[in-house]
């Protein structure tokens, strides 16, 4: 390169930013001792803005488009530099390109468990995580509050600060909402909206917009999840508990009938229940009433009623059945209780 070519290279005719990254929020055009040519072109692509900064002072902001750099297009810079009647010579100025596109799928989550008071389980330690999206909506504020004099400013440079801010506001919202732990899974959308609204003003002070915010998961301690599984199982059985009990009773009747010494063989088994006993008693009472109405045939008389047995006799007979292994322990205990009650000792 000759001396004349080197001299020409010091004056910039075109300023532009070809962003090939996925996480750069701001980029300062590398001047390297060069000066911007009077009447030069500034190319600002879609999802970009350009900000001129003169000796640390914010000047003009350019939206997408191709701009010819003249006094009319740089009114603030012209005032700062004292160009009352326009300018003809090249000039120096810092030019920052700001990306205004939407940055999606940014992660947030708890580094430590959050304490939560729950009416059902008391104090709980929960963890949560999700995703959010941001974009720059005020380039001047963003440059002033966050970028400063950095030549490059990326999403990772701010992600930790945003994560801590999100977690602080999420904890506040969770405490204020007072959603029971059992209902958290059904309230993700409502919690997401509340957190986004609470964070909107905070992000605005940095020149940012929290465009989207989602709660993906809120996890409870393992012991609480196990308890919730048990409650779910009980809830699923509740509507059919009556039919389930009847099925269990029906299945037990054939088994009891196969045991000749069991309660079923004694006349009225425990498996039949009080309902069947009452039905049998009503049928017997009806039969006796019919026999009383018809009378007894000539030469016949009703059989004398069996004398009532004493408490000792009934208990002795019951003990003999148990010792002979004709009834099991449960049947013995049931019959013994009935006998004691009958004799006024229950």
């Amino acid at each position: 390169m000759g001396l004349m070519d080197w001299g020409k290279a010091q004056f910039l005719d075109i300023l532009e930013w070809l962003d090939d990254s996925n996480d750069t929020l701001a980029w300062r055009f590398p001047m390297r001792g060069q000066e911007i040519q009077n009447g030069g072109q500034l190319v600002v692509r879609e999802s970009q803005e350009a900000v001129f900064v003169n000796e640390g002072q914010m000047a003009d902001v350019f939206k997408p488009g191709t701009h010819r750099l003249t006094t009319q297009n740089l009114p603030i810079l012209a005032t700062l530099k004292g160009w009352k009647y326009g300018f003809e010579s090249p000039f120096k100025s810092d030019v920052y390109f700001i990306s205004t596109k939407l940055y999606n799928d940014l992660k947030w989550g708890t580094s430590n468990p959050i304490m939560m008071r729950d009416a059902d389980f008391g104090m709980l330690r929960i963890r949560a995580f999700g995703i959010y999206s941001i974009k720059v909506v005020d380039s001047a504020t963003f440059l002033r509050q966050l970028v400063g004099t950095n030549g490059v400013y990326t999403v990772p440079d701010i992600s930790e600060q945003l994560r801590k801010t999100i977690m602080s506001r999420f904890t506040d919202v969770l405490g204020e909402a007072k959603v029971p732990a059992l209902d958290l899974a059904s309230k993700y959308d409502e919690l997401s909206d509340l957190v986004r609204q609470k964070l909107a003003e905070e992000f605005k002070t940095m020149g940012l917009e929290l465009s989207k915010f989602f709660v993906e998961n809120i996890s409870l301690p393992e012991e609480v999840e196990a308890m919730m599984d048990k409650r779910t199982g009980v809830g699923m059985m509740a509507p059919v508990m009556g039919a389930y009990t009847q099925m269990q009773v029906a299945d037990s009747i054939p088994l009891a009938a196969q045991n000749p010494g069991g309660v079923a063989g004694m006349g009225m088994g425990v498996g039949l229940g009080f309902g069947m006993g009452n039905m049998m008693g009503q049928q017997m009472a009806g039969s006796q009433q019919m026999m009383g109405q018809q009378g007894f045939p000539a030469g016949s008389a009703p059989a004398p009623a069996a004398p009532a047995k004493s408490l000792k006799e009934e208990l002795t007979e019951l003990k003999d059945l148990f010792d002979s292994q004709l009834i099991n322990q449960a049947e013995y205990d049931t019959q013994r209780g009935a006998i004691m009650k009958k004799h006024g000792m229950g």
Side-chain angles (χ1 to χ4, degrees), residues 105-288:
D105 201 29
L106 305 181
K107 312 292 184 183
W108 67 270
T110 53
S111 55
N112 297 306
I114 299 173
M115 295 300 296
M116 169 185 169
R117 188 185 301 276
D118 185 72
D120 295 319
F121 303 106
M123 294 301 296
L124 297 178
R125 293 178 177 268
I126 69 168
R127 292 183 179 273
F129 63 86
I131 59 174
Y132 65 100
S133 303
I134 62 170
K135 69 176 181 178
V136 178
V137 292
D138 187 340
S139 295
T141 300
F142 175 70
L143 189 62
R144 185 182 300 110
Q145 297 295 331
L146 296 176
V147 180
T149 59
N150 290 299
V152 177
Y153 197 82
T154 64
V155 172
D157 292 330
I158 194 179
S159 59
E160 184 62 18
Q161 178 184 345
L162 296 182
R163 187 190 67 81
K164 291 179 180 179
T165 304
I166 288 172
M167 285 315 308
S168 176
R169 298 300 177 263
F170 175 79
T171 303
D172 291 344
V173 167
L174 196 61
E176 294 170 0
K178 298 186 183 333
V179 179
L182 294 173
D183 299 332
L184 282 174
S186 63
K187 300 295 183 180
Y188 285 178
D189 288 345
E190 289 84 347
L191 290 173
S192 298
D193 289 339
L194 289 173
V195 174
R196 187 173 60 83
Q197 294 171 17
K198 200 174 189 68
L199 285 166
E201 196 62 30
E202 187 98 20
F203 275 57
K204 187 177 180 180
T205 62
M206 297 181 283
L208 298 173
E209 176 188 84
L210 181 60
S211 303
K212 299 178 183 178
F213 182 87
F214 297 104
V215 176
E216 287 189 278
N217 182 265
I218 300 177
S219 59
L220 301 171
E222 293 183 0
E223 57 271 19
V224 176
E225 292 184 350
M227 189 178 298
M228 291 174 64
D229 291 340
K230 290 182 180 180
R231 288 193 176 189
T232 301
V234 172
M236 293 174 61
M237 288 296 297
V240 296
M241 187 61 72
Y244 178 78
T245 304
Q246 293 177 3
M247 181 184 71
Q248 292 289 89
V249 172
D251 290 342
S252 66
I253 292 175
L255 297 177
Q258 293 175 6
N259 184 2
V263 178
M266 295 172 62
M268 183 177 65
V270 176
L272 297 179
F274 292 103
M276 184 172 289
N278 291 337
M279 181 179 67
M280 293 175 63
Q282 293 173 0
Q283 291 177 349
M284 293 175 64
S287 299
Q288 291 176 357

Side-chain angles (χ1 to χ4, degrees), residues 5-12 31-37 90:
D5 292 333
W6 178 85
K8 291 181 180 178
Q10 303 310 298
F11 304 112
L12 298 171
M31 302 302 292
R32 289 191 293 270
Q34 303 178 98
E35 296 182 353
I36 301 172
Q37 184 72 26

Side-chain angles (χ1 to χ4, degrees), residues 311-336:
L311 172 63
K312 181 178 179 181
E313 290 174 336
E314 291 194 37
L315 291 177
T316 300
E317 291 180 0
L318 182 63
K319 186 64 167 58
D320 290 340
L321 290 173
F322 178 73
D323 292 340
S324 302
Q325 297 183 353
L326 296 177
I327 60 175
N328 56 33
Q329 184 67 51
E331 294 171 335
Y332 172 78
D333 293 340
T334 302
Q335 291 300 315
R336 186 179 184 280

